[in-house]
């Protein structure tokens, strides 16, 4: 049964017979098109499902050209500019890309222009707009104060199209985005979809790429990326939307609520009420519109598939209204366990598909590079597989030019094995619930709506300031625990009782750590009560951190650690002895990888210090030492603190042990468990899966659910299935 | 002329002839006593000046015993204690040392007791005091809120006496401190001094150790140091003082103003108005009282010398009223250039003396350790000598048991050479002003009153969080520049115009960096104007840092650098190329020592990056890199930023070059200058001094004031004097 289906391959009209062969080998039941190629005629002969890319708000150049009054907009802000005299001239386009945007000088847009004195934070009323020269002259400035101008731009070019165009040297008309919030376009996108469906009878899955509004992606005057935020709403803006927002919410949407001092409400920011209102407003409109598009698609006898990216803003996959869209499918690129779970944990859509690496492009698929291509395939698979063992995608697929991959027989063969392995995992996990040893809640300002999206700026891009936190989620994606994402309102609503362990991780002042939310008396007492009554708390980096009431870590009492900010040096710190032997670190080889780490954390007397670094320079013993890991007990509960947790096999194992320990479940140690961190075990009721997450042979002690131990040897990448 | 005087040696009654010999060899003209020994009879035969230790507020056990109502007090706070139910019992002595303190349960003291709900920050009125059991019962608590009790303790034992007693196993009565703020003791200390002067006719210099109130030094329940703050006023407190404060200042001195959430107004904290008022109040009383003691001393024909330490609180050596004390002398221990300048820059006292290392104690002066003793002497001398070259002390001295040192003839000989060298430096610098190439102002919340005391917790103690800043002051103490310490009020008063360069250095939120002071529109515009018009700005660590108005470094525009706090990751940062060749780093060997460093600093496009670290882990090029050093231009002015500057010869040279560069004085490069960082040059009008700051021979290019270069070879520790 599991030898067929659940796999999508790319194809084109020049590679029909090759596609048929590989499709059979891989058990592929869907074909898709790809940039720059066309599907063969009668693609239905190759596979049951035929995917075609469809753009809702771009691509129809005639419509775009004829309706410039309905082009899309975005809210932007100039840099901070200093006044040296009593007036200041600001050239609006100085830091923006003239091919991407131009200022909207209509009166409807200009009424949202806002000049702020950034030295005082006050709105500055005195300015005039010089439309002809694209300037704003700010009058009555105070010398040496800084000013910004926030205003609405008209979008001229879809930034992803622009990026591909520039990167690949395309020669085709620029894709301009038209805005369905305006009446003509609102009607047009419906009719256009109907027409397109009729004109594409072979396609039975419309791959929406994507819906209405692009995530935030702004270029600078040199045509290089200026700002990016995969979650940002500043391109889901128009004067009409802002007017309607005011009617619905009863207050005016100020520029500052959207540009947010230049942070543009990045997902790392603690979201303001106004920004959350605006997100809701956009989601409502997107939901109502996309519902209609999906209905049309269904009426045309096709499935509707959402690509998770590009114009996905407002279609929040973990939002409350997502299920209303009635989508058949959700597809996204997967590079690791986090991106798998970001798709597979979504509810309200019939199936979820992951596009795997490597992409079949000439940068990988060139002569002599077959071994590297196979290695990348394996790496991608064993990384994403960890998450599949917990909650698999419904489908996997590849992208690019299949004819290139076809030249690498080892690659084709290995991919076939992976397709089979995927289908076996799928059938197992979907029929037998995987054993879960604890219920874990990740607590931050966003909660559910940013499930598996924490500490993320741009989808799958690496940031030095993020990876030490992202490792937590990557680890969690494949651990035998249930994972939920909750926010501070959930805490106040008493939801902590549903969990064994709560995790708070992030830099001070970010949405992830929580900032001022920790000054809410109700929040802090709920968390204390939860731990006191036996709950577990795991803090990473600067959890619960905001300087107030004489504390930086607001739950320093629960965690047993605090951070020295240079204002409490006079307080002696004696708890500097290391106790590396602990349940949590059992079997973990030193040195631990703390990633970017945090400095100046010290232990309160109550804490148990697992790891601490004493400076080489130390001259005296007291007040010296930076804690890296510590545990604490609080009432019946327990806490574990660590400065950073980048992803590694050792760190994933350690996090699992920390979850068991803080949950008071030490008796669950060595139950469905491998002691070699490079291997992992899962229990599915009637069988165990033991995975080798490496490209080398691994030996491990495996303990079954009764704690019975046996030695296991695993081949590279192997999953050993053991039936009870 | 310079072969005699300006040197103090310790002696005792068992070593009279030896003292005479060494005194002659060193040119010593003063003798002093030392703990545990007595001066010989007729000490005046050995030296002109005879110092005797005198305690104002302790040491008379009979007075202490008979006047328990006038013992000294201190304000303390319990730790944060969590209520798990609706009441909470706090044992007041739980974290204090019963031999040092006991709670003051008098009604006068109890009216200052304050219970605070630290979860809300509010005063909690409902509590009762159980005097018998030393408890406070806090009623009507909110479960899982934390509470503190701040209250007044009675001091039972002088903490320095206690420390010495415990450390040295002394057997003598505890020294209890009596408080001259109370009328009987106020009268007693005068009479006692008169009597003591009469009883000690041989003494002609009364070495006050020290005056009225101890710096903050509190022990914990185990008799170990709990809190220390060399600048702290919480032991200069009594119910009567607090009552009188209210009468004078018109508002009640709350416990919280003094215990400050447990930070006790440490010198690292941004001082509150209330704390500064209280400091002024104490200084007024100490000034009026000590003036009288000095007058009595003078009337008795003796000199009054203040020891800088122990009970020096209220006698602020850089305070406005210090000169009123009419002291003859100020003495303190010196371990480096900073502690030399802390004494030598004091005004309003006739002479300043430094006590050098090593102390003549058995821990250094034991058989076979002569070379180490000499090495420590040399190390101390070349460190302190840098500051002497700029502003020398008037006298130097040693402490301990001279008979021990006498057993080490090499030590005695080397000390004799140092005494001669000191006198030569003294005569030179006091008669010829050393050439200064720039006027530098260090800007922080304290300004002048904490001159040379920045980033200091306890006198000469090393702290991991401080040394990367203290290096700035150590470097400055010996550089050919004028150094002033100014605060934000000075900036607002327009005083920046008196300087070439302003330095702001410290961790965010500390008194050194300035915290919220940088949100004062007047401050920030004054500093911008200063730089814009040609001034120099040097920022170290987290200068001008407070998150507000979309910025963390409030002068990021001036400095060209900003810190990524994890909320602006979506903003692309392209300025990551290193330009190590710069005026500032010329002749400085990499790698630079940044000490504890700061992470996540990035350069704005305008800046010139001198040094940047790219993570080994980096996966993509943009947004990667942590700036260590950068320069910027702003109008006619310039800025230099560095993450940390621990003391080293290289860093001192680099700081000097940074001062010249930011001051726009590159033309002063290679003027009275050595290019070998281990050597330094000073110009005194008619001669140059070229110092070798190491124990090895050094070769350097030396440039005179005309830029004429010559090669110089210096013997270990040598000063070469070159006359023009």
């Amino acid at each position: 049964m599991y030898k067929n289906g659940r796999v999508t391959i790319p194809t084109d009209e020049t590679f029909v017979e090759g596609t048929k062969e590989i499709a059979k080998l891989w058990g592929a039941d869907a074909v898709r098109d790809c940039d720059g190629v066309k599907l063969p005629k009668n693609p239905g002969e190759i596979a049951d499902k035929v995917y075609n890319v469809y753009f809702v708000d771009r691509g129809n150049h005639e419509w775009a050209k004829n309706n410039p009054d309905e082009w899309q907009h975005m809210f932007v802000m100039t840099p901070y500019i200093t006044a040296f005299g009593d007036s200041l001239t600001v050239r609006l386009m100085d830091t923006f890309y003239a091919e991407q945007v131009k200022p909207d000088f209509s009166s409807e847009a200009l009424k949202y222009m806002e000049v702020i004195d950034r030295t005082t934070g006050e709105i500055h009323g005195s300015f005039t707009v010089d439309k002809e020269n694209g300037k704003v002259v700010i009058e009555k400035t105070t010398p040496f104060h800084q000013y910004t101008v926030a205003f609405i731009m008209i979008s001229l070019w879809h930034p992803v199209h622009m990026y591909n165009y520039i990167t690949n040297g395309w020669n085709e008309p620029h894709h301009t985005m038209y805005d369905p919030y305006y009446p003509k376009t609102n009607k047009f996108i419906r009719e256009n979809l109907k027409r397109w469906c009729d004109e594409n009878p072979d396609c039975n899955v419309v791959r929406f790429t994507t819906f209405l509004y692009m995530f935030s992606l702004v270029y600078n005057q040199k045509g290089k990326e200026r700002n990016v935020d995969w979650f940002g709403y500043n391109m889901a803006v128009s004067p009409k939307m802002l007017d309607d927002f005011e009617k619905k919410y009863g207050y005016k949407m100020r520029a500052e609520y959207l540009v947010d001092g230049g942070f543009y409400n990045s997902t790392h920011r603690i979201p303001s009420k106004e920004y959350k209102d605006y997100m809701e407003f956009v989601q409502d409109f997107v939901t109502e519109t996309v519902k209609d598009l999906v209905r049309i698609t269904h009426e045309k006898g096709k499935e509707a598939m959402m690509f998770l990216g590009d114009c996905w803003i407002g279609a929040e996959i973990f939002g409350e209204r997502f299920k209303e869209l009635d989508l058949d499918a959700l597809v996204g690129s997967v590079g690791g366990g986090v991106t798998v779970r970001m798709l597979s944990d979504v509810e309200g859509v019939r199936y979820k598909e992951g596009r795997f690496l490597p992409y079949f492009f000439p940068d990988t698929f060139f002569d002599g590079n077959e071994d590297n291509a196979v290695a990348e395939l394996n790496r991608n698979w064993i990384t994403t597989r960890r998450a599949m063992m917990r909650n698999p995608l419904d489908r996997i697929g590849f992208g690019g030019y299949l004819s290139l991959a076809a030249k690498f027989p080892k690659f084709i063969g290995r991919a076939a094995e992976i397709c089979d392995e995927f289908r076996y995992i799928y059938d197992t996990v979907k029929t037998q619930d995987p054993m879960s040893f604890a219920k874990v809640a990740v607590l931050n300002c966003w909660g559910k709506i940013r499930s598996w999206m924490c500490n993320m700026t741009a989808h799958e891009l690496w940031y030095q300031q993020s990876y030490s936190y992202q490792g937590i989620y990557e680890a969690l994606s494949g651990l035998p625990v249930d994972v939920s994402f909750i926010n501070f309102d959930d805490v106040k609503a008493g939801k902590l009782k549903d969990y064994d362990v709560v995790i708070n991780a992030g830099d001070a002042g970010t949405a992830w750590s929580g900032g001022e939310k920790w000054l809410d008396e109700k929040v802090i007492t709920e968390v204390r009560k939860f731990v006191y009554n036996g709950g577990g708390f795991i803090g990473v980096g600067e959890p619960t951190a905001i300087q107030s009431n004489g504390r930086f870590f607001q739950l320093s009492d629960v965690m047993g650690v605090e951070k020295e900010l240079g204002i409490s040096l006079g307080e002696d710190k004696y708890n500097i002895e290391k106790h590396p032997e602990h349940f949590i670190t059992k079997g973990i080889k030193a040195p631990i990888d703390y990633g970017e780490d945090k400095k100046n954390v010290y232990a309160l007397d109550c804490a148990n210090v697992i790891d601490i670094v004493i400076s080489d320079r130390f001259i005296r013993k007291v007040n010296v030492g930076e804690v890296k890991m510590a545990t604490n007990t609080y009432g019946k509960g327990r806490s574990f603190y660590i400065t950073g947790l980048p992803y590694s096999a050792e760190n994933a194992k350690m996090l699992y042990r920390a979850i068991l320990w803080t949950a008071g479940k030490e008796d669950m140690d060595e139950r469905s468990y491998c002691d070699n961190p490079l291997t992992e075990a899962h229990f599915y009721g009637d069988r165990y899966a033991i995975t080798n997450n490496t490209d080398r042979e691994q030996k491990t002690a495996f303990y079954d659910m009764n704690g019975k131990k046996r030695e296991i040897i695993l081949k590279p990448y192997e999953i050993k299935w053991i039936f009870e």
Side-chain angles (χ1 to χ4, degrees), chain A residues 94-285:
Chain A
D94 259 8
T95 62
F96 298 97
Y97 189 43
E99 302 233 35
Q100 187 190 9
V101 288
K102 66 175 183 188
D104 187 342
F105 286 127
S106 70
S107 59
E108 293 78 18
L110 282 180
K111 75 177 179 201
Y112 289 101
M113 181 175 273
E114 191 169 79
V115 176
I116 289 186
D117 178 337
R118 292 292 175 183
T119 304
T120 63
E122 284 163 15
I123 295 177
H124 187 85
S126 305
F127 64 91
T128 54
V129 180
D130 173 357
K131 299 181 189 180
E132 199 156 316
N133 298 298
K135 289 177 185 173
V136 165
V137 180
I138 307 174
E139 288 132 9
K140 297 183 190 164
T141 54
T142 308
F144 300 105
H145 282 212
Q146 294 193 301
Y147 296 85
T148 58
V149 183
F151 61 104
I152 295 175
M153 289 277 204
I154 299 170
S155 275
L156 305 177
W157 197 354
H158 186 283
V160 173
H161 187 257
M162 182 168 84
Y163 176 82
N164 287 330
Y165 182 103
I166 294 169
T167 306
N168 301 321
W170 288 351
N171 182 17
E172 58 173 53
H174 296 182
H175 281 201
T176 304
M177 293 175 282
Y178 23 89
D179 189 350
Y181 202 80
Y182 289 98
K184 291 181 290 177
T185 299
N186 195 282
K187 198 173 158 203
F188 167 77
I189 61 166
R190 287 165 170 79
E191 287 164 4
N192 195 51
L193 175 61
K194 284 176 195 161
R195 185 169 52 245
W196 187 92
C197 285
D198 293 339
E199 287 168 6
N200 290 272
D202 288 336
C203 164
N204 54 20
V205 180
V206 182
R207 190 179 187 273
F208 285 95
T209 305
T210 320
F211 300 129
L212 310 191
Y213 300 110
M214 178 67 202
F215 65 79
S216 182
L217 183 54
V218 185
Y219 282 72
N220 69 16
Q221 68 277 21
K222 297 173 186 164
K224 291 164 79 180
E225 189 183 281
R226 183 189 193 275
N227 296 90
V228 61
D229 179 10
W230 202 63
F231 307 91
Y233 275 61
N234 76 310
M235 293 178 68
V237 160
S238 65
K240 185 168 159 54
M241 285 172 91
L242 298 174
D243 289 351
D244 288 353
F245 177 90
E246 183 171 354
K247 285 175 204 147
K248 186 164 173 187
Y249 285 84
Y251 65 93
K252 193 182 167 192
M253 177 50 55
R254 276 183 54 196
E256 181 63 8
Y257 298 151
L258 288 171
V259 300
D260 178 29
F263 297 114
Y264 295 94
N265 296 294
S266 120
T267 184
H268 306 294
R269 293 277 285 169
I270 295 165
S272 65
K273 181 196 171 296
E274 294 82 6
Y275 185 57
K276 285 197 289 188
D277 283 349
Y278 194 75
M279 285 177 68
E280 183 183 74
F281 176 78
V282 173
Q283 284 177 75
D284 283 346
F285 173 68

Side-chain angles (χ1 to χ4, degrees), chain A residues 397-413:
Chain A
F398 292 92
Y401 308 116
L402 188 62
S403 53
L404 285 178
K407 292 178 190 163
F408 287 174
K410 270 196 284 184
F411 182 90
I412 297 295

Side-chain angles (χ1 to χ4, degrees), chain A residues 334-506:
Chain A
V334 291
V338 160
T339 40
V340 167
R341 295 292 292 268
M342 193 195 293
L343 292 166
S344 68
D345 278 19
V346 172
E347 290 170 353
V349 57
R350 280 179 275 287
Y351 63 91
K352 281 94 64 164
E353 176 169 324
R355 207 257 296 135
F356 274 58
L357 297 174
Y359 213 67
F360 305 161
F361 263 8
D363 57 350
T364 304
F365 291 84
F366 58 87
D367 264 4
N369 202 46
E370 177 157 17
D371 286 349
N372 289 334
V374 174
E376 193 180 340
L377 176 68
N378 277 319
R379 199 162 48 236
N380 192 241
W381 175 237
I382 55 173
T383 316
T384 52
R385 190 179 67 182
R386 286 187 70 244
M388 297 279 201
M389 304 305 290
R390 304 305 306 166
N391 188 16
L393 295 164
D394 301 284
R395 301 183 56 84
I396 64 175
F398 292 92
Y401 308 116
L402 188 62
S403 53
L404 285 178
K407 292 178 190 163
F408 287 174
K410 270 196 284 184
F411 182 90
I412 297 295
R414 178 59 185 141
E417 287 171 15
I418 286 173
C419 290
D420 285 347
E421 189 168 288
F422 159 66
R423 284 183 286 256
Y424 186 92
I425 293 169
Y426 182 83
D427 288 345
T428 303
V429 186
K430 287 291 178 180
T431 50
Q432 310 265 22
D433 275 346
M435 174 72 192
S436 173
F437 288 88
K439 287 184 196 326
V440 177
V442 173
L443 171 60
N444 58 44
C445 290
W446 289 110
K448 188 176 180 191
I449 201 168
R450 291 284 169 265
S451 295
W452 303 105
M453 296 166 176
C454 311
N455 291 92
M456 195 182 281
T457 300
H459 188 59
E460 295 189 331
L461 276 191
W462 183 91
Y463 284 81
Q464 185 167 356
Q465 289 83 5
S466 301
Y467 75 89
S468 309
Y469 298 119
Q470 286 174 331
I472 301 162
Y473 313 108
E474 189 63 30
L476 285 174
S477 74
L479 290 182
V481 298
D482 289 339
V483 183
S484 302
F485 294 81
I486 64 171
N487 64 24
F488 293 94
D489 289 335
D490 296 327
V491 169
K492 289 160 78 170
K495 293 207 184 147
L496 285 180
K497 66 176 179 342
D498 299 339
Y499 305 100
D500 298 309
V501 176
V502 61
I503 297 179
N504 181 239

